[in-house]
DNA sequence: CGGTTGACTTTCA
DNA sequence: ATGAAAGCCAACC
């Protein structure tokens, strides 16, 4: 085990993403307290592949709803297929109804 | 300790 | 609207 301080934060948030919903790196970064760490979220996701329990990285996309990280999966269609299985409409590596399926941790997790 | 990298975001042209 | 460049923060070598 390693001290994935920032990574663990990202992993937890990503794991909290409900099925049929997606979020952006910036949203997670901002939820962590620093919007500038959006890249760090993506960097953490790179380690997510070896993280356990595995995080639904396929539910994390960029601000455009584009599946930028699909190249890191075993197969390019892997990410799209999983999102489709969740009920998310994906077209041309892009999440359709992105605004509808968008899940903002800073809002959903901040009920009070 | 310092430079490079990275599944990003935002802004200028 | 499209394209390129800068900015940002944390981890890795």
């Amino acid at each position: 085990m390693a001290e994935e301080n920032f990574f663990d934060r990202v992993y937890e948030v990503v794991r909290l993403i409900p099925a049929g919903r997606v979020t952006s790196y910036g949203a997670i970064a901002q939820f962590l307290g620093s919007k500038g760490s959006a890249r760090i979220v993506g960097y953490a996701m790179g380690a997510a592949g070896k993280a356990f329990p595995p995080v639904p990285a396929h539910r994390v996309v960029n601000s455009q709803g584009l599946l930028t990280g699909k190249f890191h999966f075993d197969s390019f269609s892997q990410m799209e297929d999983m999102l489709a299985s969740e009920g998310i409409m994906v077209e041309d590596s892009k999440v359709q109804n992105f605004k509808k399926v968008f899940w903002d941790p800073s809002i959903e997790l901040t009920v009070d």
Side-chain angles (χ1 to χ4, degrees):
Chain A
M1 300 298 282
E3 304 82 47
E4 311 97 55
N5 298 327
F6 209 94
F7 287 14
D8 186 42
R9 306 298 180 184
V10 178
Y11 298 153
E12 284 192 70
V13 176
V14 175
R15 272 183 272 150
L16 290 173
I17 301 173
R21 293 291 183 274
V22 294
T23 188
S24 62
Y25 303 93
I28 298 172
Q30 186 174 25
F31 174 72
L32 296 179
S34 300
K35 67 177 182 180
S37 58
R39 311 193 64 174
I40 316 304
V41 177
Y43 190 78
M45 300 310 299
K50 65 181 185 64
F52 186 84
V55 305
H58 59 273
R59 294 179 186 161
V60 185
V61 298
N62 68 354
S63 61
Q64 300 177 40
L66 183 64
L67 311 184
T68 53
K70 73 175 194 174
F71 293 101
H72 293 261
F73 283 75
D74 295 340
S75 301
F76 301 145
S77 58
Q78 181 72 40
M79 191 170 183
E80 298 179 22
D81 183 52
M82 288 196 292
L83 289 173
S85 298
E86 297 293 333
I88 299 175
M89 293 180 288
V90 181
E91 187 68 25
D92 188 44
S93 306
K94 286 173 297 198
V95 178
Q96 304 304 296
N97 300 337
F98 182 56
K99 295 180 180 178
K100 284 177 70 174
V101 299
F102 181 65
W103 182 83
D104 190 341
S106 61
I107 295 176
E108 301 298 326
L109 300 181
T110 308
V111 182
D112 294 302

